[in-house]
Amino acid sequence: MNVHARRQPTAAEAALVDAFVDRMGELPGDGEISSARDNAIEALKEQGLPSRRVEAWHYTDLRTLLRSVAPYDSAAGTNALLSIISGSAIAAVSNGVSLVAPRVDGVEFQKFSEKLSEGSVIGDLAIRDGDDTIGQINAAYVTDGWAVSVAEGIELGTPLELQNIQTRGQGHVRFPVKFGKGAKATVIERQAGGEGDGFSTSISNVTVADDCEVTWIILREHGEQSTQLAQFIATIGKNAKLNLYVVNAGGKLVRQEVHVLAQGEGGDFQLRGVNLLGGDSHTDVTMTLGHLVENTTSVEIVRNVVTDRARGVFQGQIKVNKIAQKTDARMACNTLLLSDDGEFDAKPELEIFADDVACGHGATVAEIDGNHLFYLQARGIPESEARGLLIKAFVAEVVEELKDEELVEALEGILDKWLAAHV
């Protein structure tokens, strides 16, 4: 059991709680929403930010790491970014305010601020559990986002790009997205920031109905002074497939939680993660996956590159219910450690209550193979370029599983940009 002892509030805790009094009159919502916000901030005030004594946050001591919280900045808004893939439909949020909705056949968009005012999303603000710090902060402060509904049987020919742009200051958004039965789509969730001091939370609630095939890419590029706490929460229906890619390529302090329930027989979940960690950044990817019924499958592969004084974390927990026979679940975390000062912590977990399953997990940490490096240098390739090629090959193996060549090229371009800055 996790125990939250009463302590003197830190500067960040005080800033989060005190700002609520100043902001509450500006936050959208009816009476029930306002009550939910009050409950969330009271829970945060009572528990405080989690320390390493809280098991789920053991490797990310938020109470110590989050030393300050960027104030709100009404002038931090920007226009939408150019799309990663040409022709993509863009639904952007900048500085916590939704911009213009795109027009896409078979897809409905509504500003989350409107749903808050209607009070129709009261269930979305429910806190997952006592350790749900991200949910508490977001429920208290969320201002906008996009609620998206994809009709049954729709197949989107081009990606939908959800942008959350926080160049500086503070912003809190949500993206509830529902895919109707048999829908097929690619969604790019683009978390973008600038070089200014920033603090943001973002929660995506995704419903993948029966027979759907959804590819969802979380692409994070934040500046060196930016903090982001985010969640991706999904349910997978019968014979549905969810492919989730998480690419972290920036940010001072990042925690990306992934919570998935495979609740329909024949459901399949695939996670591919790429963490590019440099400077003195701290990035944490924490996943929980529940196999609730028979004949569901999952594979999680996470590749990490750590240099400078960066620190990374991957926590992956898979639970297989007693009735979830014939489950096939596999998980691997592989890290390339390029610096003596860098660090990566991996904590894979399996909780299996069924007896007819195939489950496994593994984790590795290695340096660049000297023989491989020598082979390339012997053929006239400079050392820095040779190192870059080996690192790119290590990561690109995961990215290249995507079927869209233009998307693969875009992600490899981000990798090249990171390598040029850090290797």
Side-chain angles (χ1 to χ4, degrees), residues 111-414:
K111 292 182 177 181
F112 194 71
S113 57
E114 296 175 353
K115 286 191 163 290
L116 287 167
S117 297
E118 296 167 359
S120 60
V121 288
I122 183 65
D124 289 10
L125 302 190
I127 307 304
R128 290 178 51 83
D129 53 41
D131 298 333
D132 188 10
T133 301
I134 299 174
Q136 291 170 355
I137 298 172
N138 188 273
Y141 285 111
V142 59
T143 54
D144 218 336
W146 287 106
V148 183
S149 179
V150 181
E152 290 187 6
I154 289 294
E155 183 172 353
L156 298 183
T158 55
L160 167 62
E161 187 168 310
L162 302 176
Q163 297 182 357
N164 179 27
I165 310 162
Q166 193 69 46
T167 58
R168 64 182 186 275
Q170 191 174 153
H172 307 276
V173 304
R174 290 215 177 199
F175 297 113
V177 181
K178 296 182 178 180
F179 296 93
K181 182 178 180 180
K184 295 183 179 180
T186 297
V187 177
I188 302 171
E189 178 188 322
R190 197 168 171 192
Q191 301 287 348
E195 295 304 319
D197 186 12
F199 175 75
S200 61
T201 65
S202 178
I203 297 180
S204 298
N205 294 89
V206 180
T207 302
V208 182
D210 297 351
D211 303 314
C212 283
E213 186 173 339
V214 175
T215 297
W216 190 291
I217 298 133
I218 300 174
L219 175 57
R220 180 171 288 104
E221 291 184 284
H222 276 269
E224 295 180 356
Q225 301 303 318
S226 177
T227 293
Q228 185 174 56
L229 309 175
Q231 289 180 340
F232 176 89
I233 304 168
T235 57
I236 303 174
K238 185 177 180 180
N239 295 321
K241 184 177 181 64
L242 172 60
N243 303 307
L244 175 63
Y245 288 76
V246 178
V247 180
N248 288 312
K252 170 73 171 180
L253 172 59
V254 172
R255 166 118 163 171
Q256 174 69 61
E257 295 182 1
V258 175
H259 303 292
V260 177
L261 295 176
Q263 57 187 26
E265 189 170 350
D268 178 65
F269 175 61
Q270 301 288 318
L271 170 66
R272 301 295 183 267
V274 175
N275 294 308
L276 305 174
L277 313 180
D280 59 355
S281 63
H282 181 107
T283 298
D284 177 340
V285 176
T286 291
M287 182 205 76
T288 63
L289 169 61
H291 287 268
L292 306 185
V293 297
E294 291 184 348
N295 296 304
T296 57
T297 55
S298 67
V299 177
E300 297 81 41
I301 300 174
V302 179
R303 295 286 171 89
N304 315 291
V305 181
V306 183
T307 187
D308 302 323
R309 300 169 306 283
R311 183 178 182 188
V313 178
F314 174 69
Q315 298 182 108
Q317 182 187 75
I318 299 176
K319 290 185 177 182
V320 181
N321 275 15
K322 187 175 182 179
I323 65 170
Q325 305 293 344
K326 306 296 183 182
T327 292
D328 190 335
R330 305 177 190 279
M331 177 167 51
C333 178
N334 310 113
T335 301
L336 199 55
L337 200 58
L338 305 180
S339 167
D340 292 338
D341 297 322
E343 181 180 342
F344 198 92
D345 296 298
K347 184 187 177 187
E349 295 180 77
L350 291 174
E351 292 188 16
I352 303 172
F353 299 96
D355 54 17
D356 185 9
V357 300
C359 298
H361 64 72
T364 63
V365 178
E367 301 175 343
I368 289 179
D369 190 306
N371 291 328
H372 295 165
L373 190 62
F374 175 79
Y375 177 87
L376 294 175
Q377 288 183 270
R379 280 148 184 81
I381 299 175
E383 181 181 358
S384 60
E385 185 178 345
R387 288 169 63 86
L389 288 172
L390 292 172
I391 296 167
K392 187 173 181 178
F394 172 73
V395 173
E397 185 179 355
V398 171
V399 173
E400 289 173 357
E401 290 188 28
L402 286 164
K403 299 176 182 178
D404 190 318
E405 290 185 7
E406 189 176 358
L407 186 51
V408 171
E409 290 179 3
L411 295 181
E412 288 184 342
I414 291 169

Side-chain angles (χ1 to χ4, degrees), residues 44-91:
L44 181 64
K45 183 178 180 180
E46 175 70 20
Q47 297 172 2
L49 296 174
S51 69
R52 61 183 293 110
R53 296 177 63 186
V54 179
E55 185 176 355
W57 293 82
H58 180 75
Y59 298 102
T60 299
D61 187 340
L62 197 61
R63 197 170 198 274
T64 300
L65 292 171
L66 187 62
R67 298 181 180 180
S68 63
V69 175
Y72 285 89
D73 185 346
S74 60
T78 64
N79 295 325
L81 303 174
L82 294 175
S83 62
I84 289 288
I85 302 298
S86 59
S88 298
I90 297 175

